[in-house]
Amino acid sequence: MNMAEGLYRTMRLIRRFEERAIELVHAGEIIGGIHPYIGQEAIAAGVCAALRDDDVITSTHRGHGHVLAKGADPVRMLAELTGRATGLNQGRGGSMHAADFSKGIYGANGIVGAGGAIATGAAWAAVKEGSDRVAVSFFGDGAVNQGVLLEAFNLAALWRLPVLFVCENNGYATTLTVAQAVAGSITARAEAFGIPAVSVDGADAAAVLDAARDAVARGRTGGGPSFIEATAYRFDAHHTWEHKARVRYRADEEVAAGRSRDPLDIQGVRLDAETRAGIDADTETLMAEAVAFALDSPRPDPAGALDHLYATGLRGRDGIGLLDTAVR
Amino acid sequence: MARLSYLKALQRALADEMARDENVCVLGEDIGVGVNNVTTGLLAKHGPLRVVDTPLSEQAFTSFATGAALAGQRPVIEFQIPSLLFLVFEQIANQAHKFSLMTGGQAKVPVTYFVPGSGSRSGWAGQHSDHPYGLFAHVGVKTVVPATPEDAYGLFLTAIRDDDPVMLFAPAGSLGVRGDVDMDALGPVPLGVGRVHREGTDVTVVAVGHLVQSALAVAEQLADQISVEVFDPRTLHPFDWDGLAASVAKTGRLVVIDDSNRMCGIAGEILATAAEQMRLTVPPKRVTRPDGAVLPFARELDLAVQPQQDQLLTAVQEVYKSSR
Ligand SMILES: Cc1ncc(C[n+]2csc(CCOP(=O)(O)OP(=O)(O)O)c2C)c(N)n1
């Protein structure tokens, strides 16, 4: 499969996954809601296309795109979102913690900015082992104001670690605009630490891939960290609760203008129509299978609610919160 | 028998584990030189990829250790002062500790967080004198407070080998303690197994960390009137509830001495569990810092807030005298 097709296929998968997931949220099958990634697909697809299976990523609360692009099985991923025992995390993580360690996916993360230092540590472990693995941390524009992330930039630059920081600037941290939140420029935050930083069009997967290839090559050959700011527009709500909360913070014209640059179309026109239709059809089939699998899968047994709390299998005492325990 | 100091025991445990396992590395502030004397000599021996002097970036290096652990390393982090743990509660309680469950068992985070000098160090005042072990036990992070040199050695070894995050608090008040130790018998001490330092039949005293020495002194002082059993839990989570129950079954009376704040503290947990599940013949007592205390600077004020040996003595006498 050529690269243009591969990028489109990944983006199409993310888009349909998100659309189907939103339907499942509204149907009450996904509880807690999701943070849709629609509009930002080119970033995950472009960056992950530059990675190997053994490279590591850390992701965010808006993590589905990254996790899918890095190679997690969409079927088991949807089962995770619907809280099934067959899910990637056996129903213990859900949308905000989906992870697949066999693919280097250290998980979505519910705390803004938390993944940066974790990825930096994983990059350091690669160096210590003598491997040329790289680690990528995805985060939003809101995260550049988190102290721990800036501390991580310093460590990564100081120790020339193979970590790629990818800031997805979608203009908003929930409702707060970048202009209201960020003093100076986003790339300047990285440059202040001596980290090479570029800004790319995050609606164009090929442009993202180009930037990511440079950064990954630098990391693999001992050149240290890199920073990519990918600008994009979040087409949908910050989180699916917005449909109920009816908060308004973006003008209709702005949303329409943002949506007019659809990353799927930007990449789609690079394929012939027949190829594109074929990929769309394959994705449709795959997602139908994923939805059926998820909804048919068993739910986890409540008696195992604290399974995996400790890697060593330690069991603490039950409180009064555990169902099904006769003796307390 | 050889004399071994508590501090030397910590140093030896770390050195032994680093020699035994390539993946063990240590991170922290001023550890190359070894200002806390635990990491002395390790940089020269293992180099900067295993002994990592970090900038003052507690939040970053704590989660950095998580990332390294997820990728197969076994980092040990040295924290210069206990209050730094307040800075990194997110990184430990909310990240490292939660990875295993949230990933459905895909991930393990074998990091040891190590505080050589927890609690009051005379004159260090409000921001350097806390003993925040209860916070970590509460959220479920494995939490260890050794009281003796051989336990310091053995529990540090176990903490490093454990596949979960483990907090190890070495009380400032213990660092100077020396003990007669059979060097050949030094080895790992399991988590969750307490130790009876002195047998007794009238009152069980549970003492945490450096207060074990105070409890032993009190037991000695009262020896001709009251037979005091001194129980050292060694790990606060997991806690050796069976060991405690066995002791309370003999004595029926319980006093806990713990150098952390009373409200929501570990001493309260011990009393509550004993009240719920053990056969206490009289109401138990605890000797702790006051609710929400901040350690004041002046020596007499600092001491006024810490639980004292004479307070323990009084509590033991009162519990002993109170009617069944
Ligand atoms: C440290 C932290 N603060 C606040 C929140 C609540 N929160 C979740 S997402 C979000 C906005 C994040 O914005 P950004 O980093 O730009 O990412 P985006 O949502 O745009 O993808 C906030 C405030 C959180 N999860 N973590």
Side-chain angles (χ1 to χ4, degrees):
Chain A
M1 183 172 48
N2 70 34
M3 189 51 85
E5 276 176 47
L7 289 172
Y8 180 78
R9 188 176 287 276
T10 305
M11 293 201 290
R12 186 72 196 165
L13 171 65
I14 299 170
R15 173 69 56 92
R16 284 305 286 153
F17 186 94
E18 296 288 80
E19 289 170 348
R20 300 304 311 263
I22 292 169
E23 287 166 22
L24 293 172
V25 170
H26 294 314
E29 295 287 352
I30 293 176
I31 58 167
I34 63 165
H35 298 84
Y37 192 64
I38 294 174
Q40 302 179 213
E41 296 91 342
I43 304 171
V47 170
C48 291
L51 301 179
R52 298 193 310 237
D53 253 14
D54 65 338
D55 292 325
V56 161
I57 66 164
T58 64
S59 171
T60 69
H61 56 287
R62 198 178 305 289
H64 304 164
H66 313 132
V67 173
L68 289 169
K70 188 64 173 54
D73 174 5
V75 177
R76 292 193 53 220
M77 173 99 171
L78 199 65
E80 184 58 34
L81 267 53
T82 53
R84 306 304 162 120
T86 52
L88 284 177
N89 308 27
Q90 299 180 42
R92 269 68 175 177
S95 168
M96 265 194 291
H97 305 298
D100 185 348
F101 277 69
S102 71
K103 298 270 166 46
I105 302 162
Y106 285 11
N109 200 311
I111 299 300
V112 171
I118 295 174
T120 305
W124 176 77
V127 171
K128 183 170 175 285
E129 272 175 32
S131 146
D132 68 348
R133 269 186 284 130
V134 301
V136 177
S137 170
F138 292 97
F139 48 86
D141 47 87
V144 301
N145 293 319
Q146 284 286 318
V148 63
L149 187 70
L150 302 176
E151 289 185 19
F153 290 174
N154 185 55
L155 297 188
L158 193 65
W159 297 332
R160 292 181 79 79
L161 298 173
V163 51
L164 166 57
F165 298 105
V166 178
C167 178
E168 302 193 27
N169 181 357
N170 61 15
Y172 291 86
T174 315
T175 68
L176 191 71
T177 63
V178 170
Q180 289 171 304
V182 181
S185 81
I186 286 180
T187 48
R189 301 269 161 117
E191 283 162 351
F193 294 93
I195 299 175
V198 293
S199 198
V200 299
D201 177 3
D204 182 349
V208 175
L209 173 59
D210 273 350
R213 274 188 174 141
D214 285 351
V216 167
R218 182 179 306 126
R220 290 210 204 288
T221 54
S226 307
F227 186 101
I228 295 175
E229 176 196 24
T231 51
Y233 197 75
R234 154 162 72 67
F235 285 16
D236 216 89
H238 167 72
H239 180 274
T240 43
W241 57 239
E242 263 183 48
H243 295 279
K244 278 192 186 134
R246 295 186 192 283
V247 284
R248 273 192 60 84
Y249 54 94
R250 306 195 295 188
D252 294 341
E253 305 75 53
E254 181 196 304
V255 176
R259 287 187 178 169
S260 70
R261 289 197 74 235
D262 188 328
L264 266 75
D265 292 335
I266 291 172
Q267 186 62 23
V269 297
R270 294 170 183 154
L271 314 183
D272 64 59
E274 198 185 328
T275 309
R276 183 173 176 179
I279 292 173
D280 290 357
D282 292 350
T283 308
E284 218 46 48
T285 313
L286 176 59
M287 284 313 303
E289 196 187 299
V291 172
F293 177 83
L295 298 184
D296 286 348
S297 284
R299 295 178 188 277
D301 177 357
L306 289 184
D307 286 356
H308 311 296
L309 181 54
Y310 297 95
T312 46
L314 172 71
R315 292 248 158 207
R317 297 172 298 164
D318 293 348
I320 53 169
L322 260 194
L323 304 171
D324 251 344
T325 32
V327 189
R328 303 203 192 283
Chain B
M1 290 279 185
R3 294 291 276 176
L4 179 66
S5 87
Y6 190 102
L7 193 63
K8 224 22 224 182
L10 292 171
Q11 193 187 90
R12 185 187 270 254
L14 182 58
D16 285 358
E17 278 308 283
M18 289 190 72
R20 198 184 66 89
D21 181 351
E22 272 277 289
N23 292 327
V24 177
C25 42
V26 57
L27 303 152
E29 293 160 10
D30 308 299
I31 60 169
V33 170
V35 290
N36 281 326
N37 293 311
V38 177
T39 52
T40 314
L42 293 176
L43 177 60
K45 188 150 184 212
H46 297 292
L49 261 186
R50 292 188 64 200
V51 180
V52 186
D53 253 324
T54 61
L56 310 190
S57 296
E58 290 79 15
Q59 299 188 16
F61 70 63
T62 302
S63 269
F64 180 97
T66 300
L70 291 170
Q73 300 295 313
R74 304 190 85 83
V76 176
I77 304 179
E78 181 184 291
F79 287 97
Q80 266 184 355
I81 47 176
S83 41
L84 300 181
L85 296 174
F86 298 134
L87 285 176
V88 298
F89 206 58
E90 199 286 311
Q91 286 74 23
I92 299 174
N94 202 37
Q95 301 289 339
H97 171 57
K98 292 184 177 175
F99 255 94
S100 179
L101 184 130
M102 291 196 309
T103 62
Q106 295 178 65
K108 59 181 187 187
V109 184
V111 180
T112 305
Y113 311 94
F114 164 57
V115 191
S118 183
S120 167
R121 295 187 274 192
S122 301
W124 287 50
Q127 291 174 340
H128 286 64
S129 305
D130 291 308
H131 249 336
Y133 40 68
L135 292 176
F136 293 94
H138 176 73
V139 294
V141 182
K142 294 175 178 177
T143 301
V144 184
V145 192
T148 68
E150 68 268 34
D151 283 348
Y153 180 90
L155 287 163
F156 200 1
L157 233 60
T158 305
I160 296 170
R161 293 180 192 179
D162 197 280
D163 277 343
D164 289 312
V166 181
M167 308 293 312
L168 192 140
F169 290 87
S174 291
L175 295 177
V177 170
R178 291 165 174 279
D180 287 322
V181 169
D182 175 358
M183 294 288 186
D184 297 330
L186 283 179
V189 171
L191 303 186
V193 180
R195 173 173 177 185
V196 174
H197 286 271
R198 177 183 175 119
E199 307 240 1
T201 52
D202 294 329
V203 180
T204 297
V205 170
V206 176
V208 177
H210 63 294
L211 295 171
V212 166
Q213 274 79 27
S214 307
L216 286 168
V218 165
E220 189 57 35
Q221 255 178 294
L222 292 172
D224 53 354
Q225 311 150 45
I226 305 171
S227 169
V228 174
E229 175 144 313
V230 177
F231 181 82
D232 167 10
R234 301 199 285 198
T235 55
L236 301 181
H237 179 66
F239 193 97
D240 184 3
W241 298 115
D242 292 342
L244 179 65
S247 178
V248 170
K250 273 197 297 185
T251 61
R253 299 183 185 89
L254 176 65
V255 176
V256 181
I257 182 164
D258 155 40
D259 184 27
S260 65
N261 294 348
R262 182 184 183 99
M263 168 77 83
C264 300
I266 190 76
E269 177 58 36
I270 295 168
L271 296 197
T273 300
E276 281 176 345
Q277 298 177 355
M278 299 172 199
R279 199 185 51 84
L280 289 173
T281 53
V282 299
K285 280 193 183 295
R286 61 186 137 156
V287 182
T288 66
R289 293 186 188 183
D291 283 354
V294 174
L295 241 63
F297 167 70
R299 178 141 186 84
E300 52 278 21
L301 303 178
D302 173 327
L303 291 177
V305 173
Q306 290 179 62
Q308 298 298 329
Q309 201 167 302
D310 55 348
Q311 295 170 320
L312 175 63
L313 186 124
T314 307
V316 170
Q317 285 173 326
E318 285 173 2
V319 164
Y320 181 65
K321 276 187 224 131
S322 64
S323 55
R324 286 164 188 254

